[in-house]
Amino acid sequence: MNEQRIPVAMPDLTGNEEKYVVEAIRSSWISSSGPFNQRFEREFAELCGARSAIGVCNGTVALHLAMLALDVRPGDEVLVPSLTYIATANAVRYVGAEPVFVDVDPATWCIDPHLLEANITQRTKGIIAVHLYGHPADMDAINQLAAVHGLWVVEDAAEAQMARYKGRPTGNLARVGTFSFYGNKIFTCGEGGALTLDDQQLEIRMRALRGQGMDPQRRYYFPITGYNFRLTNVACAILCAQLERRDQILEQRRRIFARYREALADIPAIGFQPVAAWAEAAPWLFCITVDEKACGTCRNDLMELLTKEGIETRPFFTPLHHLPPFREGSRCRGEHLPVTDHLGSMGLNLPTYTALSSTDIDRIATTIRRGIR
Ligand SMILES: *Cc1c(COP(=O)(O)O)cnc(C)c1O
């Protein structure tokens, strides 16, 4: 094979990333205080329309910190989708609580607001809505129901940086927003995360928990048990450079999305991610679904063919209620999640990164067409 291998994701570090990292190193501010930390938190909060942003060392930790700050405890239940990255449910477990899985809406692929109520018990404390594959969840419906039952809502926006719901940016659509800046996310610093919120009391609690529980008024005095969840100034240097080029990065990824849609439009067995009328989805990883009945090829066979041709893809998330840490509890609760199961078996993420060329996309589309008859 002489054609170049196409990975599923690749960071775009072609702006001031290197320059700012060198600047951070020369300044000797390489730990978790420094000018890039402050600049990142200020700029990211503003972009999300939130009062504050708190940088943390990854997106999983952002969810964990949200659970800690919201005082989620052993015995509590949290409603989550099953079609998501495992971090969403793991964070609930870290505080001893139990994730209860709710099916997704076929119109958004996000947690279905109509199915929430039936899953609420005496133990339910809150809901984590995941903006799956860049598409925002129906937050008004979710927030309304949560308010009726006295629940909090967290939005896991790891995959939906700069998405919009009815014109409002993700990160400002619930009590707390959480983000990831892992290497395959839209904006990245390798490993990093953030929380966004308006509530000042909650912010104070999160900042204390992030920094070993230290009293903000009294250095090296620790009134509570905290954690070291901090983000470095070096990582923030990369993030600041990424945010400078946010429009360019988003624009290039959107162009890739449009090209994929065009190149694959005439294959009836291939489906696309739906976009709700009120949604402006973030262009994370381009999604297709493979209708086995219509084309005689299943998702896994198509993936195998693409791999053989040097094209890396990624199957949709294995629904969490089938995974060993969660399946027994889920079975006991009798969870039946047909939309999740269907999507989980037929969905595929295609390569999406700014350096992906039109020629690459055409090659991917040609290979897909060859796999489908
Ligand atoms: C990436 C991701 C996370 C966690 O991010 P890390 O930075 O890898 O810890 C959480 N939730 C979802 C939905 C994600 O896609």
Side-chain angles (χ1 to χ4, degrees), residues 56-63 83-89 128-133 156-160 178-185 190-194 284 314 317:
V56 291
C57 46
N58 60 58
T60 307
V61 151
L63 286 159
L83 191 63
T84 178
Y85 185 52
I86 194 156
T88 314
I128 305 178
V130 179
H131 304 316
L132 192 76
Y133 300 131
D156 180 348
E159 303 170 0
T178 68
F179 290 87
S180 163
F181 304 113
Y182 183 67
N184 66 13
K185 299 290 158 69
E191 295 278 2
W284 189 45
R314 187 172 138 165
F317 296 118

Side-chain angles (χ1 to χ4, degrees), residues 41 82 276 287 300 347:
E41 288 192 347
S82 173
C287 302
N300 292 351

Side-chain angles (χ1 to χ4, degrees), residues 267-325:
I267 314 178
I270 297 291
F272 299 134
Q273 183 179 24
V275 183
W278 39 256
E280 205 177 293
W284 189 45
L285 294 180
F286 190 80
C287 302
I288 59 168
T289 55
V290 183
D291 184 348
E292 189 178 349
K293 282 200 201 88
C295 67
T297 306
C298 71
R299 187 264 319 268
N300 292 351
D301 291 339
L302 185 61
M303 265 188 78
E304 207 174 299
L305 171 68
L306 287 159
T307 307
K308 258 193 234 136
E309 292 299 318
I311 299 160
E312 189 190 15
T313 57
R314 187 172 138 165
F316 274 16
F317 296 118
T318 300
L320 303 185
H321 70 291
H322 294 311
L323 293 176

Side-chain angles (χ1 to χ4, degrees), residues 77-357:
E77 291 178 352
V78 177
L79 305 186
V80 301
S82 173
L83 191 63
T84 178
Y85 185 52
I86 194 156
T88 314
N90 277 350
V92 175
R93 278 281 174 82
Y94 296 157
V95 293
E98 187 61 16
V100 171
F101 298 106
V102 178
D103 209 355
V104 293
D105 183 341
T108 63
W109 297 359
C110 298
I111 201 164
D112 189 336
H114 301 103
L115 301 177
L116 291 170
E117 191 140 44
N119 287 286
I120 294 172
T121 70
Q122 293 283 323
R123 296 169 174 233
T124 311
K125 291 293 167 358
I127 302 162
I128 305 178
V130 179
H131 304 316
L132 192 76
Y133 300 131
H135 190 292
D138 187 357
M139 296 307 291
D140 282 352
I142 295 165
N143 283 325
Q144 246 161 43
L145 189 94
V148 168
H149 293 273
L151 310 175
W152 48 255
V153 180
V154 168
E155 38 168 344
D156 180 348
E159 303 170 0
Q161 298 160 2
M162 309 291 116
R164 282 174 183 271
Y165 174 76
K166 301 184 181 174
R168 287 147 56 207
T170 49
N172 185 30
L173 303 170
R175 189 86 189 280
V176 176
T178 68
F179 290 87
S180 163
F181 304 113
Y182 183 67
N184 66 13
K185 299 290 158 69
I186 297 176
F187 308 124
T188 182
C189 61
E191 295 278 2
L195 300 104
T196 50
L197 72 170
D198 286 339
D199 182 332
Q200 201 166 3
Q201 284 312 110
L202 201 58
E203 181 192 349
I204 290 168
R205 191 169 151 75
M206 283 178 180
R207 288 193 184 278
L209 285 165
R210 178 183 69 168
Q212 299 287 22
M214 190 158 75
D215 188 334
Q217 317 306 336
R218 195 170 158 195
R219 287 184 78 209
Y220 299 104
Y221 182 77
F222 303 91
I224 56 168
T225 304
Y227 300 78
N228 179 355
F229 281 170
R230 295 179 301 251
L231 182 64
T232 69
N233 193 53
V234 180
C236 288
I238 300 174
L239 282 175
C240 286
Q242 293 268 286
L243 294 184
E244 282 177 354
R245 286 168 47 252
R246 62 182 179 273
D247 292 336
Q248 240 170 291
I249 290 172
L250 288 168
E251 181 51 37
Q252 270 172 280
R253 295 181 78 106
R254 284 202 191 99
R255 214 173 302 144
I256 289 163
F257 268 52
R259 182 96 190 187
Y260 266 130
R261 279 181 180 268
E262 215 177 291
L264 300 170
D266 64 333
I267 314 178
I270 297 291
F272 299 134
Q273 183 179 24
V275 183
W278 39 256
E280 205 177 293
W284 189 45
L285 294 180
F286 190 80
C287 302
I288 59 168
T289 55
V290 183
D291 184 348
E292 189 178 349
K293 282 200 201 88
C295 67
T297 306
C298 71
R299 187 264 319 268
N300 292 351
D301 291 339
L302 185 61
M303 265 188 78
E304 207 174 299
L305 171 68
L306 287 159
T307 307
K308 258 193 234 136
E309 292 299 318
I311 299 160
E312 189 190 15
T313 57
R314 187 172 138 165
F316 274 16
F317 296 118
T318 300
L320 303 185
H321 70 291
H322 294 311
L323 293 176
F326 304 112
R327 67 186 168 207
E328 191 51 32
S330 176
R331 195 188 58 78
C332 288
R333 288 188 297 272
E335 283 161 10
H336 174 58
L337 314 174
V339 184
T340 296
D341 285 339
H342 188 57
L343 287 171
S345 71
M346 72 190 312
L348 191 62
N349 294 120
L350 299 182
T352 312
Y353 51 92
T354 57
L356 190 72
S357 69

